[in-house]
């Protein structure tokens, strides 16, 4: 007997892609936080802030 809902989309691929993107975003954010904390153990907080500001400027400028 044919499926009574033949036009129903399978939501699984979209759901997995969305969840994967969220996981990668969280992982990237956590990695950045750890890197900042590592810098803060060997640099002053002012130096860390200046470094982050320079990096942000470069990202904005060069994408």
């Amino acid at each position: 007997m044919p499926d009574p809902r033949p036009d129903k989309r399978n939501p699984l691929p979209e759901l997995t892609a969305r969840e994967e993107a969220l996981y990668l975003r969280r992982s990237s954010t956590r990695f950045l936080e750890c890197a900042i904390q590592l810098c803060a153990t060997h640099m002053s907080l002012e130096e860390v802030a200046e470094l982050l500001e320079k990096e942000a400027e470069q990202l904005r400028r060069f994408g």
Side-chain angles (χ1 to χ4, degrees):
M1 176 176 244
D3 185 357
R5 303 166 293 161
D7 59 347
K8 269 276 200 193
R9 290 183 347 136
N10 180 2
L12 193 56
E14 186 177 313
L15 177 63
T16 55
R18 186 174 63 239
E19 289 301 316
E20 179 183 21
L22 288 171
Y23 169 78
L24 292 172
R25 183 180 176 95
R26 285 190 309 266
S27 295
S28 297
T29 300
R30 186 65 187 132
F31 180 84
L32 178 59
E33 291 169 346
C34 289
I36 291 168
Q37 289 297 321
L38 180 61
C39 287
T41 62
H42 302 288
M43 301 165 64
S44 72
L45 294 181
E46 184 63 32
E47 289 172 318
V48 175
E50 287 176 13
L51 175 63
L52 290 171
E53 288 166 354
K54 287 178 186 175
E55 290 296 324
E57 184 181 317
Q58 288 182 13
L59 279 173
R60 288 184 191 102
R61 185 173 179 192
F62 301 113

